[in-house]
Amino acid sequence: MARNLWIGKPGLLREISQAARSWDRSPDLNVTEFRSLEGQSTLVAPPLTTRRMKLSFEWLEPEDAQHLVRLARRVSGPGMLGRNTYAGGSVVVLDPVSVNLLDPLQAAGQSRHIRGGDHWFTATGDITLRPSSGDVFTGDCKDATSALGWRHGTWTGWPVAPGMNVSWMVPPEWDPALSTAQLDWKALDGSYLSTAMASGTVVSGAAPAEAAFVTPVGRPGATGATALAGACLTIGETPFAYALGDGCPPMAVTGLTDTPAPRLPYRNIGIDLVEVRGAAN
């Protein structure tokens, strides 16, 4: 993953090159424990966990500080990286630790959707998705020219910034002699821009000008059963098979501290974020 933090609205990502003084990315597990009179414990845990993040910066550059404050206060306008845009909705966070930007279940070839529609779609041709043993999904490819796309679930693709280097590895069980990996670059409105494509299981490419999203796509190149587990989408790093999916969920700012540093115009900034749903715009 890129070693610097990227944060902002879709299409308005800003790189924060300064390392955070403190950084907590522990998920909210929501595990509740009930203890009986006999001393036995019963645990109740939801099937999904929520990502949380707390970042604290000391002596942050004024431009970076203003960007974070704008996100927290939902202030739009030309000063926000030079673009007038809607101030509400969710925030993109690409943190330096995330190796695989796919959803955790998606990276493992699993889905809570009965047909896997939340994680994959048939881009071209004829591929039928169905769960296999252990609820791991496979694809039944009826046309060797078929292409399978990975779906973000909230945005039209995974958020990127122009010039950002993105690497994509299709499921490692695909035959490298037959398969093709590709990255479809899209504008902020979801319109198609261009494609980076390579024979084999891995492709890398730099996001072109005006790119705001990327959609990873794979072509198995053969008919029959197609594995879906083990794919990896990463930024600024070499992808590797079966990497844990950290996801790239929409997040909302829930807290902000803004303290002027001892030497102006530097600022001490703390920002809290939580994963949200239904706030994609």
Side-chain angles (χ1 to χ4, degrees):
M1 182 65 192
R3 293 308 174 192
N4 291 332
L5 171 74
W6 289 80
I7 185 171
K9 302 289 184 180
L12 293 170
L13 297 182
R14 182 180 182 89
E15 183 179 18
I16 309 296
S17 58
Q18 180 176 325
R21 177 177 61 86
S22 64
W23 177 12
D24 186 350
R25 64 194 303 272
S26 305
D28 191 352
L29 300 181
N30 289 324
V31 177
T32 304
E33 180 179 347
F34 299 94
R35 189 178 295 266
S36 68
L37 295 176
E38 293 81 9
Q40 295 179 327
S41 296
T42 300
L43 297 180
V44 177
L48 298 176
T49 59
T50 299
R51 287 188 58 179
R52 292 186 179 273
M53 190 172 297
K54 295 183 178 182
L55 296 161
S56 177
F57 299 90
E58 283 188 344
W59 296 76
L60 193 61
E61 294 284 346
E63 293 80 7
D64 290 340
Q66 287 190 29
H67 179 69
L68 296 181
V69 172
R70 282 182 179 274
L71 293 176
R73 299 182 62 186
R74 298 178 293 279
V75 177
S76 63
M80 196 173 185
L81 293 184
R83 188 177 299 174
N84 192 359
T85 185
Y86 174 58
S90 54
V91 174
V92 180
V93 181
L94 302 176
D95 72 75
V97 174
S98 297
V99 174
N100 190 353
L101 294 180
L102 297 182
D103 178 88
L105 292 182
Q106 187 179 41
Q110 302 174 23
S111 170
R112 299 192 182 279
H113 192 282
I114 190 171
R115 298 189 184 279
D118 55 341
H119 288 158
W120 304 280
F121 66 95
T122 301
T124 58
D126 187 354
I127 299 180
T128 302
L129 301 177
R130 52 174 56 95
S132 184
S133 60
D135 291 331
V136 175
F137 274 70
T138 58
D140 183 9
C141 187
K142 300 180 177 65
D143 182 351
T145 63
S146 298
L148 187 69
W150 271 249
R151 193 189 305 276
H152 182 274
T154 300
W155 293 301
T156 187
W158 275 260
V160 295
M164 186 179 284
N165 188 268
V166 181
S167 295
W168 164 239
M169 172 183 282
V170 299
E173 293 185 28
W174 291 15
D175 187 345
L178 300 176
S179 60
T180 302
Q182 72 181 62
L183 295 166
D184 289 346
W185 309 106
K186 298 177 180 178
L188 184 60
D189 61 3
S191 59
Y192 170 82
L193 294 175
S194 61
T195 292
M197 183 182 300
S199 299
T201 58
V202 178
V203 62
S204 296
E210 301 300 320
F213 300 103
V214 64
T215 296
V217 178
R219 300 174 184 269
T223 58
T226 302
L228 298 180
C232 181
L233 179 69
T234 189
I235 295 174
E237 296 286 339
T238 300
F240 62 91
Y242 302 107
L244 173 67
D246 274 307
C248 177
M251 306 192 81
V253 179
T254 60
L256 176 76
T257 59
D258 182 0
T259 306
R263 196 171 88 187
L264 295 176
Y266 298 100
R267 311 257 282 277
N268 297 335
I269 298 289
I271 188 168
D272 300 347
L273 303 108
V274 64
E275 178 180 352
V276 294
R277 299 295 179 189
N281 295 320

